[in-house]
């Protein structure tokens, strides 16, 4: 058994025992109340799920196993000569709650490269799709098609013991994470680069090799991918894509199917697709205004016109956060360091100075600040990736790290089928009395 798997098994056995004892002693204790407004309000704030890999605070933002993004940037191993953390290190941290050594991270890079080969039928399935199929749809089909290789499904059909669910889920998670950059790069090159593909470079790390296979060369883009794939990896369990995966996986659907289901959720414009919507909206702004250097007044008018048309300002607002998203800040710092005088990046910063006042003045928006999606597009365009329909796929590749680490934990802890209670409006009216 490999070192990571062994550590995960030992830790999960311990926590499982502790949780069972906790539930026995405290299971009947009330920890929260639900208000009628929450029942109608998309379950905001209702505490009803265990998610060990990260947690979100409205003011402070995300912490992965207790660590903020700047702390991860300091503590996680890096590529030789690099400054950004390797996402392999974050996966290790999320799975076993330990900062890995350089050697452990190098092992994980190699291990994922060994597991990365895509099944031939996945490539065949993708080539039958119309080339204008949205990249997220292609990704979801590609992931589902690989379910033929699910270790969990195969072993379940053979009568696997419950006690081994964690083992099969770990194998599936490792295989799927290893394959995702290859699948995503295949989709990108097929859709936008005349179906000309770039062979992997086995000497590179997971994110660096992904950048290479996308065909965008240069050390800075590799560093951007390392940062990007780290900061998008997890956002506790309640967000729509993580929760969808968690729900589907709780039926003992394997992670190919449950992660694909989560990605259907990420593909919505109020969630992950917002990253394409932001840059599309900015590009439309520059076209309408006939300048890439708009004045403050022009930007204000464009925002107000968007709102007047009954549309949201993409990249702004959040269901939990009540401050600028630290993932926005991390990208801004990257851009300040590496990118000088880029018109789209400057517009992103201009929007940061303009949107919050306007959204705040509406009196209904709970969080007028930028979220993770407000910045990424302008940076990607700067490095030459202008095909914004692909951006949510980058988010998806990263999000696999958190969702799949959490799926391993769900199966190791023996979490049950998820089944909240719905009520009718009549029931709610009576209960409110
Ligand atoms: N622009 C305009 N109006 C907004 C807004 C925005 N960016 N954010 C919130 N509002 C509006 C809501 O649409 C809602 O209006 P109605 O009462 O008329 O329906 C009102 O303000 C209250 O909403 P809220 O409680 O502040 O926000 P929610 O928790 O309901 O929604 C979110 C959160 C992210 C869906 C919302 O802020 C939004 O639509 N943002 C734009 C899309 C976006 O950037 N999504 C990406 C989120 C991050 C991610 O998951 O990747």
């Amino acid at each position: 058994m490999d070192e990571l798997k062994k550590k995960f098994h030992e830790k999960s056995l311990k926590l499982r025992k502790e949780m069972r004892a906790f539930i026995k002693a405290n299971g009947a204790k009330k920890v929260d109340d639900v208000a009628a407004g929450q029942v109608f309000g998309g379950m905001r704030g209702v505490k009803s799920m265990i998610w060990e890999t990260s947690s979100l605070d409205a003011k402070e933002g995300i912490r992965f196993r207790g660590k903020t993004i700047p702390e991860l940037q300091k503590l996680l191993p890096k590529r030789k000569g690099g400054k950004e953390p390797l996402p392999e290190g974050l996966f290790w941290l999320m799975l076993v709650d330990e900062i890995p050594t350089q050697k452990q991270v190098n092992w994980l890079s190699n291990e994922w490269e060994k597991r990365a080969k895509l099944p031939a039928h996945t490539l065949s399935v993708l080539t039958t799709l119309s080339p204008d199929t949205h990249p997220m749809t292609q990704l979801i089909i590609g992931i589902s098609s690989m379910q033929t290789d699910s270790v969990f499904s195969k072993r379940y059909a053979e009568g696997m013991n419950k006690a081994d669910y964690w083992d099969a889920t770990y194998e599936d998670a490792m295989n799927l994470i290893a394959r995702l950059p290859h699948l995503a790069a295949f989709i990108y090159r097929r859709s936008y680069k005349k179906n000309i593909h770039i062979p992997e470079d086995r000497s590179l790390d997971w994110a660096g090799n992904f950048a290479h296979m996308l065909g965008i060369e240069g050390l800075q883009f590799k560093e951007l991918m390392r940062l990007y794939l780290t900061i998008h990896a997890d956002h506790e369990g309640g967000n729509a894509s993580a929760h969808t995966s968690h729900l589907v996986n709780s039926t003992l659907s394997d992670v190919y199917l449950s992660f694909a289901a989560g990605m259907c959720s990420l593909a919505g414009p109020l969630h992950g697709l917002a990253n394409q919507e932001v840059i599309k909206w900015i590009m439309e702004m520059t076209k309408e205004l006939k300048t890439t250097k708009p004045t403050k007044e022009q930007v204000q008018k464009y925002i107000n016109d968007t709102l007047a048309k009954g549309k949201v300002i993409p990249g702004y607002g959040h269901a939990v956060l009540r401050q600028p998203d630290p993932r926005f800040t991390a990208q801004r710092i990257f851009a300040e360091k590496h990118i000088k005088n880029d018109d789209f990046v400057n517009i992103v910063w201009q929007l940061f100075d303009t949107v919050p006042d306007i959204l705040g003045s509406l009196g209904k928006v709970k969080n007028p600040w930028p979220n993770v999606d407000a910045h990424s597009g302008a940076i990607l365009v700067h490095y030459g990736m202008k095909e914004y329909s692909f951006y949510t796929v980058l988010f998806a590749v990263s999000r696999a790290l958190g969702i799949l680490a959490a799926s391993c934990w769900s199966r190791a802890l023996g979490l049950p089928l998820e089944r909240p209670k719905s009520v009718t409006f009549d029931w709610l009216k009576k209960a409110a009395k």
Side-chain angles (χ1 to χ4, degrees), residues 44 235 239 266 268-275 278 307 311-320 322 325 327 355 359 362 364-367 371-374 395 399:
R44 293 288 184 288
H235 218 227
N239 69 79
L266 192 74
L270 295 189
H271 192 14
L273 202 81
N275 63 4
V278 169
L307 292 169
K311 300 202 268 184
V312 294
I313 306 301
Y316 280 76
H318 201 272
V320 179
R322 297 295 177 257
D325 191 328
R327 300 170 299 174
V355 174
L359 286 185
L362 299 179
K364 65 171 183 179
V365 181
K366 294 192 192 68
N367 179 43
N371 59 55
V372 64
D373 301 315
F395 195 153
R399 192 46 68 91

Side-chain angles (χ1 to χ4, degrees), residues 143-155:
I143 295 167
S144 312
S145 78
M146 294 196 284
Q147 195 254 350
T148 47
D149 289 359
S150 168
V151 176
F152 187 96
S153 284
K154 185 167 173 285
R155 286 176 61 185

Side-chain angles (χ1 to χ4, degrees), residues 121-172:
H121 67 261
T122 293
L123 304 182
S124 310
V125 164
L126 292 175
T127 38
T128 62
L129 297 175
S130 159
D132 63 355
T133 307
H134 192 280
M136 277 303 280
T137 312
Q138 296 190 50
L139 183 82
I140 292 156
I141 293 170
I143 295 167
S144 312
S145 78
M146 294 196 284
Q147 195 254 350
T148 47
D149 289 359
S150 168
V151 176
F152 187 96
S153 284
K154 185 167 173 285
R155 286 176 61 185
Y156 191 87
E158 290 164 359
M160 172 168 51
N161 189 311
K162 271 182 175 189
D164 295 331
Y165 288 173
W166 72 272
D167 183 315
T169 303
Y170 173 88
E171 292 302 326
D172 276 350

Side-chain angles (χ1 to χ4, degrees), residues 317-332:
H318 201 272
V320 179
L321 291 171
R322 297 295 177 257
Q323 290 284 344
D325 191 328
R327 300 170 299 174
F328 173 89
T329 310
Q331 293 176 81
R332 179 167 182 152

Side-chain angles (χ1 to χ4, degrees), residues 2 4-6 38 43 103 114 161 190 213 234 261 268 272 285 295 312 344 371 377:
D2 70 61
L4 179 61
K5 189 172 180 180
K6 191 160 171 280
Q38 289 171 295
M43 298 187 281
K103 195 170 154 222
K114 274 194 238 158
N161 189 311
R190 173 174 179 263
M213 289 187 296
D234 207 27
M285 176 200 296
T295 63
V312 294
F344 283 154
N371 59 55

